[in-house]
Amino acid sequence: MTAIDSYSHGVSGEREFGFAQAIKVDHTIYVSGQLSHDDEGNFLYADDFEAQTAQVFANFEKVLAHYGATRNQVVSETQYIVDLPRYNNAMAAANLAYFGDHRPTSSTIGVAHLFFPGQLIETNFVIDTRLPA
């Protein structure tokens, strides 16, 4: 039987919209779109791409910590970015800084809007815990 372990940040929206931040099935962790919010779920840094990106990674680190995983075990990420031509170089720089020499697969999708006014980025991840940490 497959064991399922879900994780939530405990912020507003999770219960109301009926989702978890992550679900681990066997050795794979599927992570919902991470965005720029604080510990209470308040959206942060409207219209500030760099600050939002840093907060996305900070919130993702909480997911990794819950599962005892590391960014070196990320196999895939998908970024949704408002005004992609404007922010593509900043996203590339943020990824290089965050992942270092690790190279997960990545798709970057330009979108017209995200959930919150001023939200410029949301990123989801897939992790394989069998990879070296």
Side-chain angles (χ1 to χ4, degrees), residues 48-122:
D48 184 334
F49 186 81
E50 287 78 14
Q52 286 185 36
T53 302
Q55 190 64 47
V56 163
F57 286 133
N59 290 338
F60 178 54
E61 285 290 323
K62 295 174 188 176
V63 176
L64 291 172
H66 172 79
Y67 290 107
T70 73
R71 62 186 79 171
N72 292 329
Q73 294 169 305
V74 174
V75 294
S76 179
E77 68 171 337
T78 303
Q79 301 122 355
Y80 302 90
I81 298 177
V82 174
D83 197 0
L84 179 57
R86 180 176 179 187
Y87 297 114
N88 63 356
N89 289 333
M91 186 70 250
N95 257 13
L96 288 169
Y98 183 74
F99 285 109
D101 291 333
H102 180 62
R103 296 289 183 264
T105 65
S106 181
S107 295
T108 305
I109 301 167
V111 297
H113 305 281
L114 290 166
F115 188 81
F116 292 102
Q119 183 182 352
L120 301 172
I121 182 170
E122 186 165 329

Side-chain angles (χ1 to χ4, degrees), residues 18-67:
F19 70 93
Q21 293 296 328
I23 292 180
K24 182 178 181 188
V25 181
D26 291 329
H27 301 287
T28 305
I29 304 167
Y30 302 91
V31 183
S32 291
Q34 298 297 289
L35 53 109
S36 180
H37 62 77
D38 63 16
D39 290 338
E40 286 77 45
N42 300 304
F43 178 67
L44 302 173
Y45 312 119
D47 299 315
D48 184 334
F49 186 81
E50 287 78 14
Q52 286 185 36
T53 302
Q55 190 64 47
V56 163
F57 286 133
N59 290 338
F60 178 54
E61 285 290 323
K62 295 174 188 176
V63 176
L64 291 172
H66 172 79
Y67 290 107

